[in-house]
Amino acid sequence: MARSTPTFDPKGLTIEQCWGEACVICHKRWPRPRVHVGRLPDDSRVFACDDCAPALRIPVQQTRGRRAKIRA
């Protein structure tokens, strides 16, 4: 199965970055990074802040949002 996002080496990341609590690029923790930019070898997701994500030039993956209720 081919991956559509890059795999990051956890040896070069902090614990917060590995847990998705800090930007994988700039280490910023607040606001919490929201853009999924890759994975770790164990398939954990890594995130970047809105400012750093464009620098990676990775297509942003859409996350599923809540569906609006349709009223009849």
Side-chain angles (χ1 to χ4, degrees):
M1 178 177 191
R3 293 182 188 256
S4 59
T5 58
T7 301
F8 287 80
D9 183 3
K11 292 179 184 175
L13 303 175
T14 65
I15 292 172
E16 290 82 9
Q17 289 172 314
C18 290
W19 288 348
E21 295 177 3
C23 175
V24 75
I25 303 297
C26 71
H27 302 269
K28 184 166 60 171
R29 296 179 71 183
W30 185 257
R32 189 172 181 180
R34 303 180 293 181
V35 183
H36 173 232
V37 294
R39 296 193 174 276
L40 297 176
D42 68 356
D43 277 342
S44 299
R45 296 170 68 175
V46 293
F47 298 88
C49 64
D50 293 334
D51 296 330
C52 292
L56 293 173
R57 296 184 182 172
I58 297 169
V60 177
Q61 298 207 353
Q62 298 294 324
T63 56
R64 293 184 185 178
R66 291 185 181 180
R67 290 186 178 185
K69 289 185 179 180
I70 300 173
R71 295 184 184 188

